Amino acid sequence: MRRLLVLGAAALAATAFLAACATRPAAPVAELAPSGKLRAAINFGNPILAVRTADGSPRGVSVDLSNELGKRLGVPVELVTFNSAGKVVEAVRDAQVDIAFVAIDPVRGAEMLQTPAYVIIEGAYLVRKDSPLQRNEEVDQAANRVVVGNGSAYDLYLTRELKAAKLVKAPTSPAVTDVMVAQNVEVAAGVKQQLEADAKRVPGVRLLPGRFMVINQAMGLPKGRDAGARYLTGFVEEMKSSGFVAAALARHGIEGAAVAPPAPAR
């Protein structure tokens, strides 16, 4: 009887193991975690996505999504941190990471695969309080220079859109206001939430009302991983519809961002 109980327990354990293996998406795991772990790029350059805690570890919406994806794939998660979106894009392009959280942009889309958006973020302008500029539409003048984070979504967008104003590149997006002040530049451009915090931190500056662009934030992965991209697209849509993204935004006290609408059916 004892031997039968042992054999029965072993059979049950084997059945559970096989069932767990059967539920793991084999093709996506092979493409999203080819090394056996999910290497997720976390960008500290955008405070809506991630911030450093007191001990230096990352926390935020992108961290929560990375951990949930790793859980579903059944693999450990390695958080690889960066200080700018430009460095994240390079890491994805060179397959140094498996997933990333980046703005949808045609330039970036040429170097990686991207999902539909999961979060929508506003881009804003910041100027000095005594600046004659009052509206976003007034920025694009030859007399104005605009500081942007090098390689950021704002850099890419304004490179295409500005016809007269000149761009000045800051090393990272969180540095744009300090560069604007230090170099006496007319305008800084970036994440609205970041610039609102800067306006409280730095005396003598203000935001122009409204926004000059909307950023659709998506998940990205190296090119050639089509099965992984299909899985990620389904994952993003579920994270939006289930309330996971909204709960993460609320949990981390994020304002100035909204859950993206469902992607159109293909």
Side-chain angles (χ1 to χ4, degrees):
M1 173 68 74
R2 188 173 187 180
R3 185 163 176 247
L4 287 174
L5 288 173
V6 171
L7 290 173
L12 286 173
T15 301
F17 174 77
L18 290 173
C21 290
T23 60
R24 289 183 65 185
V29 168
E31 293 195 352
L32 292 172
S35 65
K37 60 186 176 183
L38 180 68
R39 300 170 300 170
I42 304 299
N43 177 23
F44 288 132
N46 186 335
I48 287 178
L49 304 183
V51 296
R52 294 183 192 272
T53 60
D55 64 3
S57 60
R59 66 181 291 272
V61 177
S62 59
V63 175
D64 293 352
L65 286 169
S66 298
N67 288 330
E68 179 65 20
L69 179 60
K71 177 181 175 182
R72 289 172 178 241
L73 295 174
V75 297
V77 176
E78 178 186 353
L79 301 178
V80 185
T81 59
F82 298 86
N83 291 322
S84 71
K87 294 297 183 183
V88 170
V89 172
E90 291 175 4
V92 176
R93 181 195 63 203
D94 298 337
Q96 295 173 350
V97 295
D98 302 311
I99 62 166
F101 300 84
V102 293
I104 295 176
D105 184 272
V107 174
R108 290 179 180 170
E111 297 191 290
M112 69 176 73
L113 300 174
Q114 291 186 295
T115 69
Y118 65 92
V119 160
I120 296 174
I121 303 172
E122 294 181 330
Y125 287 132
L126 179 139
V127 299
R128 288 178 177 76
K129 283 188 176 178
D130 61 359
S131 170
L133 298 174
Q134 299 297 325
R135 300 184 303 119
N136 294 316
E137 295 77 12
E138 298 170 356
V139 168
D140 193 11
Q141 302 177 42
N144 294 328
R145 294 163 297 163
V146 182
V147 182
V148 292
N150 187 34
S152 67
Y154 314 98
D155 182 3
L156 300 175
Y157 176 83
L158 292 175
T159 295
R160 294 191 298 269
E161 297 298 320
L162 292 181
K163 307 305 180 187
K166 303 296 187 295
L167 291 182
V168 175
K169 306 296 180 74
T172 65
S173 289
V176 294
T177 299
D178 292 332
V179 170
M180 183 191 85
V181 172
Q183 298 185 19
N184 198 31
V185 178
E186 290 74 26
V187 183
V191 179
K192 190 172 187 177
Q193 184 193 48
Q194 176 71 54
L195 296 183
E196 287 173 338
D198 287 347
K200 297 176 182 178
R201 175 179 65 85
V202 179
V205 298
R206 60 181 169 85
L207 268 71
L208 294 184
R211 65 195 187 196
F212 71 88
M213 70 176 294
V214 172
I215 298 170
N216 291 293
Q217 199 74 25
M219 294 183 70
L221 71 165
K223 296 187 78 171
R225 302 185 183 184
D226 296 325
R230 288 191 293 272
Y231 183 88
L232 267 191
T233 292
F235 172 77
V236 164
E237 291 305 305
E238 183 182 344
M239 292 300 95
K240 291 187 295 185
S241 64
S242 68
F244 185 99
V245 175
L249 290 171
R251 182 167 53 253
H252 296 294
I254 300 301
E255 299 178 357
V259 179
R266 294 183 178 179

